[in-house]
Amino acid sequence: MTAEQLSRLREVVEAEIQDIHAALDQWRACNGLDENGRQRVEETAERMLHQDWKHNTDRRMMELLRLLGRMEEEDFGLCQECGEDISLRRLELVPTTAFCA
């Protein structure tokens, strides 16, 4: 993977991280949380759905942050199964993949 391709992929990942930060800020504002993330209102079935979304979003954020660290490794972009290059297009679509198509 060239430095230019890696830079382009890093931009894709960082853009998604920014989107997640914005979505989480909106979620906090709409779900009765104070600035420290403490709940101010009683849980309902709808709130539980929102909690599930938040859990999934937090998990995605962690995946992306780990990915940024992996991008510095020498073998980033190589399939963990066969050792071949993972196409840039695939990495752009599924940045956290560790396998080629």
Side-chain angles (χ1 to χ4, degrees), residues 13-27:
V13 171
E14 288 173 347
E16 186 174 348
I17 288 172
Q18 290 296 342
D19 290 345
I20 289 172
H21 277 298
L24 287 170
D25 288 344
Q26 229 175 3
W27 182 88

Side-chain angles (χ1 to χ4, degrees), residues 34-94:
D34 65 16
E35 62 279 352
N36 296 315
R38 291 183 298 237
Q39 202 163 349
R40 291 191 305 239
V41 295
E42 184 177 321
E43 287 226 339
T44 64
E46 184 176 334
R47 180 159 313 285
M48 291 181 78
L49 288 174
H50 291 164
Q51 291 288 347
D52 189 46
W53 175 86
K54 170 103 171 38
H55 173 74
N56 291 336
T57 302
D58 286 342
R59 184 176 43 215
R60 177 65 175 168
M61 176 68 85
M62 293 306 299
E63 289 174 352
L64 293 171
L65 293 173
R66 280 192 296 268
L67 173 64
L68 286 177
R70 278 194 1 246
M71 288 175 141
E72 303 301 322
E73 296 173 6
E74 196 173 295
D75 63 348
F76 177 75
L78 298 179
C79 176
Q80 288 184 359
E81 187 171 303
C82 70
E84 296 293 320
D85 285 337
I86 301 170
S87 74
L88 179 60
R89 183 71 181 139
R90 179 167 170 80
L91 286 169
E92 287 174 335
L93 293 172
V94 187

Side-chain angles (χ1 to χ4, degrees), residues 1-12 88 92:
M1 176 172 295
T2 68
E4 182 180 318
Q5 290 171 326
L6 187 60
S7 176
R8 192 164 113 202
L9 183 59
R10 183 178 300 280
E11 288 173 7
V12 168
L88 179 60
E92 287 174 335

